[in-house]
Amino acid sequence: MTWRVIAAIAQKDLIDAIRNRYLLIALLTPLSIALLMRVLLPGLENISNLTIVVHDPDRSTMVSKLRAAPQIKLVDVDSAATARAEVEKIKASGALVIPPNFDADVAAGKQPKLTVYVNNKKNNIEQGGFRRLVERQVESLVQRPPPAEVNWINVHEETASPAEREFNLNHMLLPLLLLLAFGMTGAFVVPLLLVEEKEKRTMDFLLTSPAKLTEVIAGKGLTGVVYSVLIAVVLLALNRQMIGNWPLTTLSILLGLLLVVAIGLLMGSLFQTTMQVNTWASLALLVLIAPSFSFPGAPVALETAMRFIPTYYFVEALKLSMAGTGSLRMCGYSAIVLALTFVTLFAVTWTLRREQN
Amino acid sequence: MNSIEVDGLSRTFNGLQAVDRISFTVEAGEVFGFLGHNGAGKTTTIRMLSGQLRPTAGVARVAGCDVTTEQERLKPLVGVVSENQNLYERMSGRENLAFAARLYGTNPGRVDEVLRQVGLLERANDNVKHYSNGMKQRLLIARALLHRPQIIFLDEPTRGLDPVVAREIRRLVVQLSTEGVTIFLTTHYMEEADELCRRVAFLSEGHIVALDTPDNLKLAHGQKSLKATLDDGQTLTISLDDEVAGKQLEELVSGGRLRTLHSTEATLEEVFIQIAGRGLSE
């Protein structure tokens, strides 16, 4: 394969695609949704990522525990008087003013006075999250044993791993947006790039030029990869605080986008007209993004059905890597399935195009 | 030296014989006409000879390359002007050629050279979708010339063009031929083939049914006679095989009664109809 030829085809398609209004809309839709959600739900990304201003002159145990929590950012101030102003200045969730000798006074049962400032310009969800956090911390200071021991038992067997349980509703947003972006590229953009060459007979020109069939397919794939990477970078930048493990998240995204691009190449090889692509692409998109709606505790039948959709493994790997508690070993199975599916799809596409020729 | 050598070339599609054991040669620098009605196998032959389609049987060497086994070596040596105007319509003329130049690894400076050669330099930055049919056809020829091929396949290059543009395209073909480029031309227009081609092959249902110079074909299948129109409107047919033909002509000219005199040799189209059984437009 000649890199010059692949790059020439990809370069041509990158420019040509954005001149096609239909393809441009497909590429921009996920970004528009992401931006719209940020405008409509400005505090959504802060539900599990609280910024708290703290004045704690004697370094209390309670604040030390908060400091260790990965999703809480503490901003220290020198005096109690400046805490309130700092909340407004940095738009924090709130502030804690811990009096001197706090730990000793708690131990002595003196009920020290803890002042909490709440930023009531934040949305109700964030305010509620901050209040619950403070209440839990205060309750944990009670030294005596609880009046009764509560044994919580799930009626149904727990199928989600601890890492999956950490993945909250908020974290469904990014996989959904990424899958939507990749799905648009895979189901619409890449197949249309290939089908348009066939429909307008420019494929005949490409095949009389020094370009080999594999180079044409690789060029289309590269275009899809470049667009997917660009969109993924923007989506990650907009939602960067949701990422717990960057290297694993990057690997998951890379494998996911390769997978959908391979699906797009296969669709582009199977279909001969733009109308066929338009007819089937919406259905394909729905199937591709379906796994992003799966959640811990979903019905077993639904969960089993989802496992037959390759993008399920992308969502699985992404959930674990985003939660920050997943390891390469935990994501390994999903990564292998994604990689093998990509290779198989690429090989089928190449064989199909070769036979069509 | 032969630019194209074809021996027993065949191609079937799902059991249908599109091209059936055709054999011919084309000399370097020759303009060779490949004539036949729709579905006769012209485009299939071009696709095989330009390395786009594998033959089912037979061998063909184009620019010294086996079309089946040496496609990669062959491609930079040939240029193809497809019967479909397969250009990137959302791109400008210059962008179309710049893309082709990158594929072929050609110097980008060559783009403006060929645009000038086909008279499109002024409109080079316009989107192709705003070009007329004639301009698109000239751009296709420019793209085929970009990498300086030894052989150019022109598939119906003047179809649907107005007479002025068609004449311009024919002028380009002649110019290329004088520069030593071999031209393999398919056309529906017999006058065009007659004007441009040193030799023509008639293709019918996948077979070559005749191959010779246009003059030889017309002589072999036409009548050797003259048609004279006199001042009073009367017409006379004078057979050139007749011993008294010379005397008859002399009398007409010296008598001052002759208004017009035409040869009645067959046109290439009439020859084609005689050989293939139906006309090109049928």
Side-chain angles (χ1 to χ4, degrees):
Chain A
M1 286 213 281
T2 310
W3 171 247
R4 186 196 76 237
V5 172
I6 297 170
I9 293 169
Q11 191 183 345
K12 184 268 293 176
D13 283 336
L14 283 170
I15 298 165
D16 198 34
I18 54 172
R19 288 177 180 167
N20 181 338
R21 257 179 288 175
Y22 186 71
L23 293 184
L24 187 63
I25 290 169
L27 289 168
L28 292 181
T29 298
L31 292 178
S32 310
I33 293 172
L35 288 170
L36 195 67
M37 292 192 93
R38 281 183 73 82
V39 172
L40 295 178
L41 302 165
L44 189 66
E45 73 277 19
N46 290 327
I47 297 169
S48 56
N49 296 275
L50 301 174
T51 300
I52 302 169
V53 175
V54 172
H55 173 61
D56 183 24
D58 290 344
R59 300 206 167 270
S60 65
T61 312
M62 187 174 85
V63 172
S64 301
K65 280 183 188 171
L66 289 176
R67 221 177 278 281
Q71 289 166 328
I72 295 171
K73 184 185 170 193
L74 296 185
V75 177
D76 291 290
V77 288
D78 295 334
S79 68
T82 55
R84 183 177 179 154
E86 189 68 14
V87 169
E88 288 181 271
K89 186 179 160 194
I90 67 169
K91 294 184 172 58
S93 307
L96 292 176
V97 178
I98 315 285
N101 299 316
F102 183 72
D103 284 352
D105 288 352
V106 168
K110 290 182 181 174
Q111 285 192 306
K113 192 176 178 185
L114 179 67
T115 307
V116 183
Y117 294 103
V118 179
N119 186 347
N120 55 350
K121 281 197 174 171
K122 292 282 180 179
N123 62 50
N124 290 339
I125 301 171
E126 189 173 341
Q127 284 185 54
F130 176 58
R131 284 175 195 275
R132 276 196 302 280
L133 176 79
V134 175
E135 282 165 4
R136 276 206 308 271
Q137 294 302 315
V138 173
E139 283 164 13
S140 72
L141 296 173
V142 179
Q143 295 299 310
R144 64 173 186 272
E149 187 182 338
V150 182
N151 189 15
W152 297 91
I153 299 169
N154 287 332
V155 174
H156 300 287
E157 192 185 346
E158 182 62 76
T159 52
S161 67
E164 285 172 326
R165 283 197 294 274
E166 279 192 36
F167 188 87
N168 59 33
L169 189 67
N170 180 36
H171 284 75
M172 279 179 71
L173 180 68
L174 186 57
L176 173 64
L177 288 174
L178 282 168
L179 254 190
L180 186 63
F182 295 171
M184 284 286 192
T185 310
F188 284 96
V189 179
V190 174
L192 282 174
L193 288 176
L194 257 174
V195 165
E196 211 178 29
E197 299 275 13
K198 287 189 267 185
E199 210 169 35
K200 297 195 170 164
R201 311 302 294 262
T202 43
M203 184 65 94
D204 291 347
F205 158 67
L206 289 176
L207 295 180
T208 54
S209 80
K212 294 177 202 158
L213 186 60
T214 41
E215 289 162 346
V216 175
I217 293 172
K220 304 291 170 190
L222 181 60
T223 309
V225 168
V226 170
Y227 272 128
S228 300
V229 166
L230 288 175
I231 295 169
V233 165
V234 176
L235 288 176
L236 288 178
L238 289 173
N239 300 282
R240 58 191 174 279
Q241 58 274 51
M242 291 185 193
I243 311 299
N245 184 331
W246 277 97
L248 265 185
T249 306
T250 308
L251 177 70
S252 306
I253 287 174
L254 190 67
L255 288 171
L257 70 87
L258 286 177
L259 172 76
V260 290
V261 165
I263 291 171
L265 292 175
L266 180 62
M267 287 174 65
S269 298
L270 288 172
F271 300 138
Q272 304 300 318
T273 65
T274 306
M275 193 178 279
Q276 285 176 326
V277 175
N278 290 340
T279 305
W280 291 100
S282 304
L283 181 66
L285 182 65
L286 278 177
V287 173
L288 289 176
I289 66 168
S292 66
F293 294 108
S294 73
F295 50 90
V300 177
L302 181 69
E303 192 72 13
T304 308
M306 292 291 182
R307 285 173 189 272
F308 289 97
I309 303 172
T311 47
Y312 169 86
Y313 299 93
F314 167 61
V315 174
E316 283 301 292
L318 199 58
K319 278 179 182 176
L320 292 170
S321 57
M322 280 174 63
T325 48
S327 63
L328 185 60
R329 203 169 63 83
M330 288 170 77
C331 297
Y333 178 70
S334 294
I336 289 169
V337 173
L338 287 172
L340 285 177
T341 314
F342 164 72
V343 171
T344 308
L345 289 172
F346 197 87
V348 171
T349 303
W350 187 77
T351 310
L352 265 176
R353 286 297 301 133
R354 193 182 154 95
E355 280 177 7
Q356 283 172 7
N357 200 42
Chain B
M1 199 182 99
N2 290 329
S3 276
I4 301 173
E5 293 173 339
V6 176
D7 188 13
L9 202 66
S10 300
R11 173 72 202 202
T12 53
F13 292 107
N14 301 321
L16 189 76
Q17 194 77 38
V19 174
D20 192 8
R21 288 166 289 170
I22 59 171
S23 302
F24 60 90
T25 58
V26 180
E27 287 176 26
E30 181 179 356
V31 180
F32 184 83
F34 208 58
L35 315 178
H37 42 72
N38 287 337
K42 304 186 300 288
T43 302
T44 302
T45 304
I46 284 186
R47 293 187 70 205
M48 286 192 284
L49 296 183
S50 58
Q52 296 176 70
L53 195 65
R54 283 175 181 271
T56 316
V59 289
R61 295 189 76 80
V62 175
C65 305
D66 187 309
V67 297
T68 310
T69 59
E70 296 177 290
Q71 289 177 336
E72 302 316 318
R73 200 163 74 84
L74 165 70
K75 285 176 173 186
L77 302 175
V78 300
V80 180
V81 174
S82 163
E83 64 178 324
N84 308 296
Q85 292 184 325
N86 54 358
L87 294 159
Y88 296 99
E89 301 241 328
R90 289 186 295 269
M91 291 161 61
S92 69
R94 182 174 275 121
E95 284 171 335
N96 267 274
L97 296 192
F99 170 53
R102 281 195 295 275
L103 287 179
Y104 282 96
T106 308
N107 182 351
R110 174 84 177 132
V111 169
D112 276 11
E113 264 180 52
V114 288
L115 281 168
R116 189 176 296 111
Q117 192 175 354
V118 299
L120 283 176
L121 197 56
E122 303 262 306
R123 300 284 304 275
N125 293 327
D126 290 2
N127 272 4
V128 170
K129 65 181 168 195
H130 298 129
Y131 280 15
S132 66
N133 273 343
M135 289 166 74
K136 285 179 185 172
Q137 204 62 31
R138 282 187 281 161
L139 188 62
L140 283 169
I141 292 175
R143 189 172 70 181
L145 292 174
L146 193 68
H147 55 289
R148 299 182 197 278
Q150 292 178 18
I151 301 161
I152 293 187
F153 294 94
L154 296 172
D155 199 358
E156 303 281 357
T158 58
R159 189 169 67 175
L161 300 184
D162 67 59
V164 177
V165 180
R167 186 193 295 169
E168 189 59 26
I169 301 285
R170 286 197 287 273
R171 188 194 61 75
L172 261 171
V173 172
V174 173
Q175 184 194 327
L176 290 171
S177 173
T178 55
E179 289 170 6
V181 179
T182 306
I183 311 280
F184 188 97
L185 172 81
T186 75
T187 181
H188 267 75
Y189 304 122
M190 288 294 180
E191 307 80 22
E192 184 171 277
D194 202 357
E195 178 189 335
L196 295 174
C197 301
R198 191 187 301 167
R199 290 183 307 145
V200 294
F202 288 163
L203 195 68
S204 179
E205 291 169 359
H207 299 275
I208 290 181
V209 289
L211 196 165
D212 210 331
T213 63
D215 283 347
N216 284 347
L217 286 168
K218 286 185 286 188
L219 278 174
H221 295 88
Q223 294 173 338
K224 290 168 71 178
S225 60
L226 294 171
K227 186 179 171 187
T229 308
L230 307 182
D231 277 343
D232 57 5
Q234 189 188 347
T235 58
L236 290 174
T237 302
I238 303 165
S239 171
L240 295 177
D241 292 327
D242 199 330
E243 286 176 1
V244 294
K247 199 176 174 186
Q248 266 185 300
L249 268 174
E250 194 182 329
E251 280 174 9
L252 287 172
V253 173
S254 58
R257 296 164 55 207
L258 190 62
R259 188 187 291 169
T260 61
L261 186 65
H262 297 280
S263 77
T264 57
E265 70 175 359
T267 63
L268 210 49
E269 177 140 21
E270 286 165 344
V271 177
F272 184 85
I273 292 168
Q274 278 185 43
I275 295 172
R278 60 181 168 130
L280 284 178
S281 53
E282 290 171 53

